[in-house]
Amino acid sequence: MKEKIQLMRKSAECHKQVRKYAQTILRPGVKLIDFCKKLETVLRFVTNANESDCGQAFPTGCSLNQVAAHYTPNTGDNTVLDYNDVCKIDFGTHFNGYLIDSAFTVAFNPIFDNLLLASKEATIQGVKVAGIDARLGEIGASIQEVIESFEVEINGKTHKIKPVRNLMGHTMGQYKIHAGKCVPLTKSDDNTKMEEGELYAIETFASTGKGYIRNMKECSHYMKDPLAFDNVKIKQEGPRSLFKYINKQFATLAFCPRWLEEGGFSNYAQSLKILCDSELVIPYPPLTDIEGSYVSQFEHSLMLKPTCKEVFSIDDDY
Ligand code: CO
Ligand code: CO
């Protein structure tokens, strides 16, 4: 328990350093793939990732506007950040698999201030009401109330802000971004209680759209199926060596195609498709609300200790 807390604190310290750097370079006109690569280089340096079992816990999310989560640019994607974009930066750091999952939203145009505030305050509310014996459905109700108390005016039209009802906060475990329990963003009759010792990522999404997300096609986030055997027999050489690399390099943590290229797999596409078709690797496509809508997100990682909760990722920036 004590060691676990130390590792979480170390991960959090690195997360704060990396995101503060990220906040200084995230400006209109920046190419998102360059931004991600810079963040990832700094993260490797700050965590000393080549020295031991630590580093980045999942790809650098920089989902834009109606896309709520799971977008990072693949090679050849030349998307440039615009003054009118709403960009969610969601990345993770870990030491020995104890990970910090924390996110913030950046928008340059002040018309989005209330949209950002809605998820920022809702996440703070979620963190506040989290605790041993707190019921998950009631936390959802409390998050929903905060988000729905906001509205935003965009180009002369007033939008009510909604929570995204099919995205959730989650428990975390060692090398596990999702450990089973979910914290809804809306009122539900889920009476499951939070328990002592659990690690939670409390995250909320506020949207001007439907408040309901769907999968998009072009995928950039993948993760080994945690139930897949490391020694599974794969006939073809390509997928076999790729799977071996994924096992060694990421274990059950998420990765993106850029990292396969950096690992020397320039022709990964066919092999990755075979691994996905055999359900050894699971694709996590971008999650998006309706066209023309905007989604904001804030997220913190915490632990429910016997006498208090420790919110590892909180700092003066968010
Ligand atoms: Co996250
Ligand atoms: Co999360």
Side-chain angles (χ1 to χ4, degrees):
M1 172 90 158
K2 219 174 171 182
E3 205 204 325
K4 194 160 137 180
I5 294 173
Q6 295 302 339
L7 292 169
M8 288 298 288
R9 285 180 186 162
K10 238 171 118 173
S11 296
E13 208 37 62
C14 292
H15 196 282
K16 290 172 195 175
Q17 286 185 34
V18 174
R19 79 197 195 207
K20 278 173 190 169
Y21 163 74
Q23 286 156 6
T24 66
I25 62 166
L26 205 54
R27 293 287 177 268
V30 83
K31 215 164 135 183
L32 285 176
I33 194 162
D34 295 341
F35 164 78
C36 290
K37 285 181 177 173
K38 280 185 186 163
L39 183 151
E40 289 163 18
T41 303
V42 169
L43 191 153
R44 266 196 296 276
F45 178 75
V46 166
T47 55
N48 209 356
N50 299 325
E51 294 300 303
S52 62
D53 200 357
C54 61
Q56 192 157 359
F58 53 85
T60 312
C62 53
S63 306
L64 293 178
N65 306 327
Q66 76 268 23
V67 182
H70 294 172
Y71 164 75
T72 195
N74 289 334
T75 299
D77 178 339
N78 291 316
T79 306
V80 170
L81 189 62
D82 188 84
Y83 174 77
N84 291 310
D85 281 336
V86 174
C87 180
K88 279 72 66 185
I89 304 300
D90 192 351
F91 69 94
T93 46
H94 82 95
F95 283 87
N96 291 355
Y98 286 105
L99 51 98
I100 294 294
D101 179 3
S102 178
F104 60 97
T105 302
V106 172
F108 307 101
N109 191 334
I111 61 170
F112 297 115
D113 285 357
N114 267 358
L115 179 69
L116 269 57
L117 208 53
S119 57
K120 194 174 194 174
E121 296 212 337
T123 296
I124 291 171
Q125 178 67 11
V127 165
K128 252 185 217 164
V129 295
I132 297 165
D133 290 336
R135 292 181 194 278
L136 298 176
E138 287 170 14
I139 297 174
S142 164
I143 287 171
Q144 179 172 18
E145 197 182 315
V146 172
I147 291 181
E148 289 179 350
S149 73
F150 285 88
E151 51 183 35
V152 60
E153 195 188 308
I154 300 171
N155 303 328
K157 194 175 170 229
T158 302
H159 299 261
K160 288 218 170 310
I161 301 180
K162 297 173 189 161
V164 176
R165 63 181 186 276
N166 56 342
L167 281 175
M168 291 175 201
H170 47 97
T171 47
M172 301 186 286
Q174 194 178 19
Y175 289 103
K176 262 195 211 137
I177 184 74
H178 284 219
K181 287 189 190 172
C182 292
V183 186
L185 312 189
T186 50
K187 184 178 175 5
S188 91
D189 50 17
D190 185 350
N191 277 322
T192 312
K193 287 178 176 174
M194 289 184 158
E195 289 169 80
E196 184 179 320
E198 283 180 326
L199 291 168
Y200 277 92
I202 301 290
E203 60 188 304
T204 71
F205 294 83
S207 175
T208 63
K210 281 215 177 329
Y212 187 86
I213 50 98
R214 292 161 198 279
N215 291 348
M216 224 167 76
K217 271 194 202 120
E218 165 96 25
C219 189
S220 62
H221 283 48
Y222 296 84
M223 197 168 77
K224 189 186 121 178
D225 182 344
L227 301 174
F229 290 114
D230 296 358
N231 302 322
V232 66
K233 292 249 186 309
I234 303 171
K235 274 193 211 138
Q236 291 158 284
E237 165 59 23
R240 185 168 61 233
S241 66
L242 183 62
F243 191 63
K244 199 174 154 195
Y245 181 75
I246 291 168
N247 260 324
K248 187 183 121 247
Q249 200 67 17
F250 313 114
T252 50
L253 297 176
F255 60 90
C256 57
R258 278 192 287 111
W259 296 353
L260 302 180
E261 289 167 338
E262 286 167 16
F265 291 86
S266 46
N267 290 314
Y268 64 84
Q270 185 59 18
S271 299
L272 184 58
K273 185 180 180 299
I274 291 171
L275 293 177
C276 289
D277 290 346
S278 355
E279 293 177 6
L280 294 170
V281 169
I282 306 170
Y284 291 89
L287 306 168
T288 180
D289 204 321
I290 52 169
E291 190 66 39
S293 65
Y294 295 94
V295 180
S296 66
Q297 174 204 20
F298 282 86
E299 178 173 26
H300 278 302
S301 292
L302 61 83
M303 184 190 227
L304 299 178
K305 305 201 290 191
T307 55
C308 67
K309 61 194 154 197
E310 182 163 345
V311 190
F312 299 104
S313 54
I314 214 157
D315 207 354
D316 52 13
D317 56 341
Y318 70 88

Short mmCIF file of all heavy atoms in Angstrom, two decimals, residues 58 69-70 89-92 100-103 170 177-178 201 203 205 297 299 301, ligand 1:
data_model
loop_
_atom_site.label_atom_id
_atom_site.label_comp_id
_atom_site.label_asym_id
_atom_site.label_seq_id
_atom_site.Cartn_x
_atom_site.Cartn_y
_atom_site.Cartn_z
N PHE A 58 -0.41 5.58 -21.86
CA PHE A 58 -1.28 5.43 -23.04
C PHE A 58 -1.00 6.60 -23.98
O PHE A 58 -0.39 7.59 -23.56
CB PHE A 58 -2.77 5.32 -22.66
CG PHE A 58 -3.28 6.43 -21.78
CD1 PHE A 58 -3.73 7.63 -22.32
CD2 PHE A 58 -3.30 6.26 -20.39
CE1 PHE A 58 -4.19 8.64 -21.50
CE2 PHE A 58 -3.77 7.28 -19.57
CZ PHE A 58 -4.21 8.47 -20.12
N ALA A 69 -12.72 11.72 -27.08
CA ALA A 69 -11.57 10.97 -26.57
C ALA A 69 -10.99 10.04 -27.63
O ALA A 69 -11.59 9.82 -28.68
CB ALA A 69 -12.00 10.15 -25.35
N HIS A 70 -9.80 9.52 -27.32
CA HIS A 70 -9.12 8.48 -28.11
C HIS A 70 -8.64 8.93 -29.48
O HIS A 70 -8.56 8.12 -30.40
CB HIS A 70 -10.02 7.24 -28.28
CG HIS A 70 -10.26 6.54 -26.97
ND1 HIS A 70 -11.16 5.52 -26.83
CD2 HIS A 70 -9.73 6.74 -25.75
CE1 HIS A 70 -11.17 5.11 -25.58
NE2 HIS A 70 -10.30 5.85 -24.90
N ILE A 89 -6.46 17.41 -23.85
CA ILE A 89 -5.16 16.75 -23.71
C ILE A 89 -5.28 15.71 -22.60
O ILE A 89 -5.46 16.04 -21.43
CB ILE A 89 -4.05 17.76 -23.36
CG1 ILE A 89 -3.98 18.87 -24.41
CG2 ILE A 89 -2.70 17.05 -23.21
CD1 ILE A 89 -3.68 18.40 -25.82
N ASP A 90 -5.21 14.45 -22.99
CA ASP A 90 -5.38 13.34 -22.04
C ASP A 90 -4.20 12.39 -22.22
O ASP A 90 -4.07 11.73 -23.25
CB ASP A 90 -6.71 12.62 -22.34
CG ASP A 90 -7.12 11.64 -21.24
OD1 ASP A 90 -6.31 11.39 -20.33
OD2 ASP A 90 -8.26 11.14 -21.31
N PHE A 91 -3.31 12.35 -21.22
CA PHE A 91 -2.19 11.41 -21.31
C PHE A 91 -1.91 10.81 -19.94
O PHE A 91 -2.41 11.31 -18.92
CB PHE A 91 -0.93 12.08 -21.88
CG PHE A 91 -0.31 13.12 -20.97
CD1 PHE A 91 0.71 12.77 -20.09
CD2 PHE A 91 -0.77 14.43 -20.98
CE1 PHE A 91 1.28 13.72 -19.25
CE2 PHE A 91 -0.20 15.38 -20.15
CZ PHE A 91 0.81 15.03 -19.28
N GLY A 92 -1.13 9.73 -19.92
CA GLY A 92 -0.88 9.03 -18.66
C GLY A 92 0.60 8.79 -18.44
O GLY A 92 1.37 8.65 -19.39
N ILE A 100 -1.14 7.44 -13.57
CA ILE A 100 -1.93 8.66 -13.44
C ILE A 100 -2.61 8.87 -14.78
O ILE A 100 -1.95 8.93 -15.82
CB ILE A 100 -1.03 9.88 -13.12
CG1 ILE A 100 -0.40 9.75 -11.74
CG2 ILE A 100 -1.84 11.18 -13.23
CD1 ILE A 100 -1.37 9.80 -10.57
N ASP A 101 -3.93 8.96 -14.75
CA ASP A 101 -4.73 9.25 -15.92
C ASP A 101 -5.36 10.60 -15.62
O ASP A 101 -6.20 10.71 -14.73
CB ASP A 101 -5.79 8.14 -16.09
CG ASP A 101 -6.70 8.37 -17.28
OD1 ASP A 101 -6.48 9.35 -18.02
OD2 ASP A 101 -7.62 7.55 -17.46
N SER A 102 -4.90 11.63 -16.34
CA SER A 102 -5.38 12.97 -16.02
C SER A 102 -5.45 13.80 -17.30
O SER A 102 -4.60 13.68 -18.17
CB SER A 102 -4.45 13.63 -15.00
OG SER A 102 -4.86 14.95 -14.72
N ALA A 103 -6.48 14.63 -17.39
CA ALA A 103 -6.72 15.38 -18.63
C ALA A 103 -7.22 16.79 -18.35
O ALA A 103 -7.81 17.06 -17.31
CB ALA A 103 -7.76 14.64 -19.47
N HIS A 170 -13.45 5.75 -13.94
CA HIS A 170 -13.15 4.32 -13.83
C HIS A 170 -12.15 4.02 -12.72
O HIS A 170 -11.33 4.87 -12.39
CB HIS A 170 -12.60 3.81 -15.17
CG HIS A 170 -11.52 4.70 -15.75
ND1 HIS A 170 -10.19 4.44 -15.58
CD2 HIS A 170 -11.59 5.86 -16.48
CE1 HIS A 170 -9.48 5.39 -16.19
NE2 HIS A 170 -10.30 6.27 -16.73
N ILE A 177 -5.76 0.30 -17.07
CA ILE A 177 -6.37 1.63 -17.11
C ILE A 177 -7.83 1.55 -16.64
O ILE A 177 -8.31 2.46 -15.99
CB ILE A 177 -6.24 2.27 -18.51
CG1 ILE A 177 -6.78 3.69 -18.54
CG2 ILE A 177 -6.87 1.44 -19.60
CD1 ILE A 177 -5.92 4.68 -17.87
N HIS A 178 -8.49 0.42 -16.92
CA HIS A 178 -9.86 0.24 -16.45
C HIS A 178 -9.91 -1.04 -15.62
O HIS A 178 -9.67 -2.12 -16.13
CB HIS A 178 -10.85 0.12 -17.62
CG HIS A 178 -11.15 1.45 -18.25
ND1 HIS A 178 -12.40 1.80 -18.68
CD2 HIS A 178 -10.37 2.52 -18.51
CE1 HIS A 178 -12.36 3.04 -19.19
NE2 HIS A 178 -11.14 3.48 -19.10
N ALA A 201 -9.99 7.13 -11.56
CA ALA A 201 -9.85 8.28 -12.45
C ALA A 201 -11.24 8.89 -12.53
O ALA A 201 -12.16 8.26 -13.04
CB ALA A 201 -9.36 7.85 -13.81
N GLU A 203 -13.39 11.49 -14.26
CA GLU A 203 -13.36 12.33 -15.45
C GLU A 203 -14.78 12.67 -15.87
O GLU A 203 -15.68 11.85 -15.75
CB GLU A 203 -12.60 11.66 -16.59
CG GLU A 203 -13.13 10.35 -17.08
CD GLU A 203 -12.18 9.69 -18.09
OE1 GLU A 203 -11.87 10.34 -19.10
OE2 GLU A 203 -11.77 8.53 -17.87
N PHE A 205 -17.15 14.80 -19.01
CA PHE A 205 -17.19 15.38 -20.35
C PHE A 205 -18.46 16.22 -20.46
O PHE A 205 -19.56 15.72 -20.17
CB PHE A 205 -17.25 14.27 -21.40
CG PHE A 205 -16.00 13.41 -21.45
CD1 PHE A 205 -15.82 12.35 -20.57
CD2 PHE A 205 -15.00 13.67 -22.39
CE1 PHE A 205 -14.68 11.56 -20.63
CE2 PHE A 205 -13.86 12.89 -22.45
CZ PHE A 205 -13.70 11.83 -21.57
N GLN A 297 -13.33 18.30 -21.37
CA GLN A 297 -13.03 17.21 -20.42
C GLN A 297 -12.00 17.67 -19.39
O GLN A 297 -11.03 18.36 -19.74
CB GLN A 297 -12.45 16.01 -21.18
CG GLN A 297 -11.98 14.87 -20.29
CD GLN A 297 -10.92 13.99 -20.94
OE1 GLN A 297 -10.25 14.39 -21.90
NE2 GLN A 297 -10.72 12.80 -20.41
N GLU A 299 -9.97 15.63 -15.90
CA GLU A 299 -9.83 14.32 -15.25
C GLU A 299 -8.73 14.34 -14.20
O GLU A 299 -7.66 14.92 -14.42
CB GLU A 299 -9.48 13.26 -16.33
CG GLU A 299 -9.25 11.87 -15.78
CD GLU A 299 -9.08 10.83 -16.89
OE1 GLU A 299 -8.64 11.20 -18.00
OE2 GLU A 299 -9.38 9.65 -16.63
N SER A 301 -6.78 11.72 -11.01
CA SER A 301 -6.59 10.38 -10.43
C SER A 301 -6.47 10.49 -8.92
O SER A 301 -5.73 11.34 -8.42
CB SER A 301 -5.33 9.73 -10.99
OG SER A 301 -5.49 9.44 -12.35
CO CO B 1 -7.78 9.98 -19.45
#
